[in-house]
Amino acid sequence: METGVQLGGLYKKSAYLNEYRKTQPGVVIVDSGDLLNEDEEIPESVRQAAKLKADLIARIYNKIGIDAVNIGELDLVLGLDTLKEIEKKHNFPFVCANLVNDKNEPIFKRYVIKNVNGKNVGIFGVIGDTSDMAAKVSEITNGAATVQDSEAAAGFIVKELAGKVDYMIALTHQGTNRDWVIARRVQGIDLVVGGHDKQKTKEPHGAEKTLIVNAGEKGQYLGMLEVTMDGTKASKNDLFPFGEDVASDPAIKAMITEYNDKIAEMYGGPSESRPAAANVALRLTACEPCHANQVKKWQSTAHALAYDTLVKKSKQFEPKCLVCHTTRFEQPEGFSMKAQEPELVNIQCETCHGFAKEHLSDMKPIPIADPAPASCIKCHTQDRCPNFEKEMPEKMKLIEHKN
Amino acid sequence: MKKTLCLTLLLMGAAILLSIGISTGSSRAADGPKITIAYSSSVMGYLEPCG
């Protein structure tokens, strides 16, 4: 896939923080949730890989020196058991004050206190309590977890920690609108680190005496708020982008390589031996007898090389990438992690035109004869292809195949 | 007259010392301990850029 500047990488985050701490040792590292997973549903064939990755991320974050991580609903998709196992196995600092079990007991720690440069920093988490979010959490956890009033939970903790901490951080996972409500109504919070709606704030919002910040998504940026711990608590904020010019931590890179190798082993060995274009009858050969010109045109496009680009980067077992580099990933009779069907690699006809089973067997109309541009944007997202929408007419010419 | 002059000088000296004290105090406050909060959200399992 043609991309813009690619930002992100946990190895860059680690190297950057290691360097930063050499001159500024008083760093608190936090995350406001949806750390471990992106998908609202995890297919069974991907679940094992997803758990392995969550475990890896916890180990990487511990190595980086994470202090507190709030729970997001996408983390819960992995299963409460998995999160509790990670918490126990890695002493991982999950915090969430308003997520409770059937006895109304908090499932995770409500807060942690960290002493930094002689100052006590209190950090607590809350997850959104809107009816939508509450219903989602209940559904994801099969009723094992319930969301309580986030404002009340925040107020309770601020009261409990009054006089015990010098700086209070709320990690929220509820969207900016609700963040404003908590910041205005709960006196005593110095900083709200927001999440869920993937906002990015270069300049913090100021709600009374409380700052609200957001750091975007996918680990592309790291927010850095420097606070002078005098009476004013004056601060300076920066959103640091992890671009190509940022150094990498080789130890974290090695951990990720080891994970990639394990996943490859789990799903059938290195696929260099079965690259996309080599002697494999792709599924679109079924389309060729009637649509020969279209298939010929397709062969000259980047869509025909989508899987090879993953192989070159050793990412051919990464479900996140396979969604956009194979045909109908984890859909009925589509490419699956378990089977790794070589005939379904690349962006073939059915990716845009829909499942062709009935069209092929009974000559019923193809589900999507003229795909809408919205279907392109599912993969050509703003962060991957920042100019895609602007350049769409030109891009469409590259794959034009009506005749 | 001499007494008044002495008292004035004494008060002025005290005022200067007090002002130095306050200014030093402010300067120390400005240079007070710093903490940095490094924050992220919605990392969503991205180990490295995917595209």
Side-chain angles (χ1 to χ4, degrees):
Chain A
M1 185 186 300
E2 187 184 337
T3 59
V5 177
Q6 292 190 27
L7 301 175
L10 297 185
Y11 35 78
K12 292 182 180 180
K13 182 173 185 167
S14 174
Y16 173 74
L17 283 168
N18 286 342
E19 198 58 33
Y20 184 90
R21 277 184 288 224
K22 285 179 185 170
T23 53
Q24 299 278 351
V27 182
V28 180
I29 306 174
V30 294
D31 187 279
S32 66
D34 282 355
L35 170 66
L36 306 170
N37 166 54
E38 184 176 22
D39 306 304
E40 293 200 358
E41 282 178 34
I42 302 177
E44 203 46 49
S45 62
V46 181
R47 188 158 280 277
Q48 201 182 348
K51 284 184 180 181
L52 202 61
K53 183 193 271 186
D55 189 85
L56 169 71
I57 292 172
R59 286 188 288 124
I60 290 175
Y61 266 64
N62 270 352
K63 207 167 167 57
I64 289 173
I66 190 77
D67 292 299
V69 175
N70 188 24
I71 301 288
E73 80 284 6
L74 295 179
D75 298 314
L76 291 169
V77 174
L78 287 161
L80 270 178
D81 289 349
T82 302
L83 299 184
K84 291 302 284 181
E85 192 183 313
I86 286 171
E87 183 186 48
K88 191 176 170 189
K89 187 173 162 191
H90 302 297
N91 194 22
F92 199 65
F94 285 126
V95 288
C96 196
N98 64 333
L99 194 67
V100 299
N101 61 19
D102 55 1
K103 293 171 188 157
N104 275 341
E105 296 162 339
I107 296 170
F108 299 95
K109 277 182 206 160
R110 293 181 303 136
Y111 61 84
V112 292
I113 297 176
K114 184 180 181 183
N115 189 275
V116 189
N117 282 345
K119 299 290 178 184
N120 282 335
V121 179
I123 313 162
F124 69 92
V126 285
I127 188 168
D129 61 358
T130 59
S131 52
D132 277 0
M133 180 69 98
K136 201 181 262 186
V137 167
S138 180
E139 188 190 331
I140 289 168
T141 62
N142 290 322
T146 306
V147 176
Q148 290 183 329
D149 187 315
S150 58
E151 187 187 325
F156 198 78
I157 286 180
V158 168
K159 203 171 167 188
E160 189 176 330
L161 298 186
K164 294 177 188 163
V165 298
D166 303 291
Y167 197 81
M168 182 79 77
I169 302 172
L171 306 178
T172 65
H173 197 87
Q174 55 182 0
T176 310
N177 289 346
R178 291 289 295 159
D179 287 344
W180 277 94
V181 172
I182 282 195
R184 285 207 164 118
R185 289 191 187 163
V186 182
Q187 302 298 308
I189 299 172
D190 294 294
L191 177 67
V192 172
V193 178
H196 185 60
D197 57 6
K198 302 168 188 173
Q199 298 288 313
K200 207 164 61 192
T201 49
K202 181 77 181 161
E203 290 301 324
H205 301 297
E208 309 293 338
K209 291 179 181 173
T210 307
L211 296 180
I212 304 172
V213 292
N214 301 76
E217 59 175 328
K218 299 178 182 173
Q220 295 172 332
Y221 295 85
L222 182 65
M224 298 291 281
L225 185 82
E226 289 180 9
V227 184
T228 304
M229 292 300 291
D230 58 8
T232 66
K233 293 184 183 173
S235 61
K236 192 180 84 178
N237 188 57
D238 187 27
L239 268 184
F240 186 82
F242 292 118
E244 285 169 2
D245 54 337
V246 181
S248 299
D249 180 337
I252 305 293
K253 265 208 151 165
M255 290 168 82
I256 293 173
T257 303
E258 189 190 356
Y259 159 80
N260 284 336
D261 290 347
K262 264 190 197 166
I263 296 290
E265 198 179 317
M266 197 185 285
Y267 290 104
S271 67
E272 284 84 352
S273 56
R274 45 188 168 81
N279 304 320
V280 177
L282 297 177
R283 181 156 165 81
L284 56 64
T285 52
C287 314
E288 201 168 9
C290 299
H291 306 285
N293 286 342
Q294 283 79 0
V295 169
K296 195 174 172 189
K297 171 69 188 178
W298 174 86
Q299 283 163 341
S300 70
T301 68
H303 284 167
L305 300 168
Y307 187 76
D308 274 344
T309 62
L310 291 188
V311 174
K312 282 175 187 156
K313 293 179 180 177
S314 298
K315 295 282 197 78
Q316 66 273 29
F317 295 104
E318 173 56 73
K320 244 179 228 322
C321 303
L322 287 168
V323 173
C324 290
H325 289 253
T326 61
T327 298
R328 306 183 65 253
F329 181 70
E330 293 296 344
Q331 293 175 47
E333 296 184 39
F335 185 94
S336 71
M337 279 298 283
K338 194 175 176 184
Q340 298 281 316
E341 300 89 342
E343 70 276 17
L344 287 166
V345 298
N346 295 329
I347 309 303
Q348 300 185 45
C349 312
E350 291 172 292
T351 305
C352 308
H353 293 287
F355 192 22
K357 191 175 185 178
E358 291 185 349
H359 176 66
L360 287 166
S361 60
D362 302 329
M363 289 311 293
K364 286 189 178 171
I366 191 82
I368 309 165
D370 195 6
S375 64
C376 311
I377 292 165
K378 279 183 199 164
C379 288
H380 294 278
T381 54
Q382 177 68 26
D383 61 310
R384 289 174 186 147
C385 317
N387 299 320
F388 186 76
E389 286 191 61
K390 196 172 74 185
E391 295 169 356
M392 193 181 274
E394 291 301 312
K395 300 283 184 196
M396 294 305 275
K397 279 182 197 164
L398 297 174
I399 59 160
E400 174 60 55
H401 55 276
K402 278 188 178 162
N403 299 305
Chain B
M1 180 74 180
K2 214 174 185 179
K3 257 188 183 174
T4 315
L5 189 66
C6 276
L7 194 65
T8 310
L9 283 171
L10 201 68
L11 283 172
M12 278 174 70
I16 288 165
L17 282 175
L18 194 64
S19 124
I20 289 168
I22 288 167
S23 116
T24 308
S26 314
S27 157
R28 275 186 191 143
D31 293 338
K34 275 188 183 172
I35 62 169
T36 302
I37 296 104
Y39 59 92
S40 57
S41 54
S42 299
V43 173
M44 299 186 296
Y46 279 78
L47 303 170
E48 45 193 333
C50 181

